[in-house]
Amino acid sequence: MPAYPWLYRTLIHRTDAEAAHHLALWAISLAGRVPPLRGALRATIGHLGTADPARGTLPHIGTRVLPGRLGLAAGMDKDAEAVLGMTALGFAFVEVGTVTPRPQPGNEGPRLWRLMDSDGLRNRMGFNNHGVEALAANLRRLRSTRAGRAAVVGANIGKNKTTPEEDAAEDYRVCARAVAPWVDFVVVNVSSPNTPGLRDLQSVDRLAPVLRAARRGCGEGAVRRVPLLVKIAPDLDDAEILEVVALTRELGLEGVVATNTTIDHDLGEGGVSGRPLTERALEVVRLVARHLGEDQILIGTGGVFDAEDARRMIGAGADLVEAFTAFVYEGPTWPGRVNRELARG
């Protein structure tokens, strides 16, 4: 077993999960801010290999061509503090957030648990973040540098816990407008289980106004067209998933992210990610892929732990793959290693 996974399973998992998360994020952020260290990481563990164009169209989001197919899922770098560090470790793109219009502390602790027996995580974080103005400021600083402009970055947007449902669409418009000048794509999050009532917005009659508002926000914030996607829950039934996919085609969204965490467990409050989600995530990706338009993209996420998992996701119809939980379990060499294996075919 490589050094980090052994260390994680023998020692690190005994520490407080959220404290360990913040410490790791700080270290990755620091590495990204030191150019010599960032360059050394990118040239070694973060090296992505070279994709072969002869095997097909290179992966892309909108007009941005990606250096690999594996990116970092939303939830780890909520405030865009560690983008350069994450790309130096080998992630081909980074989805920051979830961000809300106003800062909020999230739910009370404890709110993050490791599921060591099943290679999973359970969280009930509740969109803890510093607010969209702080995120936009961090993204603006990121884009002021050559390295920052080279990074492919998306923003995952949500609503504040205290915002009533009738005002939810405005929260998404505000967030989309603030991040649009600085990101390569925007993901509408209506599928987290940790904000009361949020998943109710996945019903198409409630979702349509949210997506239209997010599109308006993107248009108000940027002169270019910013790709807009929606992230769905694995706990929707197939008919509900097809309704959401049909709505994305009707409204001209650029794609779908499938899936968020699952509440199909008996462990208590919160959503579960990692291995327990693998099979259902694949089922949802297959279903979505069959009904998306040819010009839409599908980002598959849920239970991807190695290159073979990523290939299964791509084989099910995903254009790109995201991960979070495996990065926690497998450590800093993991994203580069997986992207190199995917580049080899």
Side-chain angles (χ1 to χ4, degrees):
M1 179 181 291
Y4 178 89
W6 177 85
L7 186 63
Y8 186 86
R9 285 167 170 78
T10 57
L11 178 62
I12 297 175
H13 82 275
R14 302 178 189 277
T15 65
D16 178 80
E18 188 170 353
H21 170 93
H22 290 305
L23 178 60
L25 191 67
W26 172 83
I28 296 168
S29 174
L30 179 63
R33 292 197 300 269
V34 180
L37 178 55
R38 185 175 72 233
L41 289 172
R42 189 59 182 265
T44 53
I45 64 174
H47 177 60
L48 300 185
T50 302
D52 182 1
R55 283 199 289 264
T57 304
L58 292 174
H60 67 280
I61 296 179
T63 60
R64 293 298 301 268
V65 176
L66 302 175
R69 293 193 183 273
L70 174 70
L72 178 66
M76 176 161 278
D77 189 4
K78 293 177 181 290
D79 298 298
E81 298 170 323
V83 171
L84 292 180
M86 294 297 182
T87 56
L89 293 179
F91 283 110
F93 61 98
V94 175
E95 187 178 328
V96 300
T98 299
V99 67
T100 56
R102 301 179 303 281
Q104 63 181 28
N107 296 322
E108 69 281 358
R111 55 190 184 177
L112 181 62
W113 299 266
R114 304 176 181 100
L115 309 177
M116 297 302 297
D117 292 339
S118 59
D119 287 345
L121 295 174
R122 174 167 67 96
N123 92 84
R124 53 181 298 275
M125 301 300 291
F127 289 173
N128 55 305
N129 72 102
H130 294 151
V132 77
E133 290 185 7
L135 176 68
N138 286 343
L139 290 169
R140 183 169 58 248
R141 282 191 291 272
L142 176 75
R143 296 308 201 187
S144 69
T145 68
R146 181 178 179 182
R149 289 190 293 273
V152 179
V153 184
N156 186 295
I157 62 175
K159 80 173 190 71
N160 281 109
K161 183 177 181 178
T162 56
T163 300
E165 182 184 318
E166 59 268 24
D167 297 329
E170 179 63 9
D171 273 17
Y172 287 92
R173 186 192 68 82
V174 167
C175 286
R177 182 184 61 190
V179 301
W182 315 112
V183 297
D184 299 296
F185 63 100
V186 172
V187 179
V188 171
N189 188 347
V190 287
S191 52
S192 169
N194 299 319
T195 295
L198 188 76
R199 285 193 168 189
D200 295 339
L201 297 177
Q202 290 181 112
S203 62
V204 292
D205 58 330
R206 298 173 181 176
L207 181 57
V210 168
L211 297 179
R212 291 190 180 102
R215 178 66 84 194
R216 284 199 305 276
C218 288
E220 292 165 358
V223 295
R224 60 192 168 84
R225 184 176 177 89
V226 179
L228 182 67
L229 300 87
V230 62
K231 188 169 188 176
I232 62 175
D235 307 306
L236 295 174
D237 63 37
D238 289 357
E240 291 171 322
I241 291 170
L242 293 181
E243 288 179 347
V244 172
V245 172
L247 181 63
T248 68
R249 296 183 64 172
E250 176 187 336
L251 298 182
L253 264 68
E254 278 70 20
V256 172
V257 181
T259 64
N260 213 317
T261 57
T262 181
I263 57 173
D264 184 19
H265 60 82
D266 58 2
L267 300 173
E269 293 182 338
V272 167
S273 61
R275 285 286 189 201
L277 186 53
T278 301
E279 294 307 318
R280 178 54 182 164
L282 282 168
E283 290 175 358
V284 175
V285 165
R286 286 191 195 95
L287 181 63
V288 173
R290 289 199 300 267
H291 294 87
L292 277 181
E294 291 185 2
D295 58 343
Q296 292 180 293
I297 65 170
L298 174 55
I299 301 177
T301 181
V304 173
F305 264 73
D306 54 32
E308 184 55 36
D309 290 333
R311 290 188 187 102
R312 290 177 68 199
M313 194 71 81
I314 293 167
D319 300 288
L320 303 169
V321 178
E322 288 183 340
F324 176 156
T325 302
F327 182 46
V328 173
Y329 275 80
E330 299 297 319
T333 64
W334 182 81
R337 183 171 71 249
V338 172
N339 262 322
R340 287 193 298 274
E341 290 183 29
L342 292 176
R344 289 195 292 267

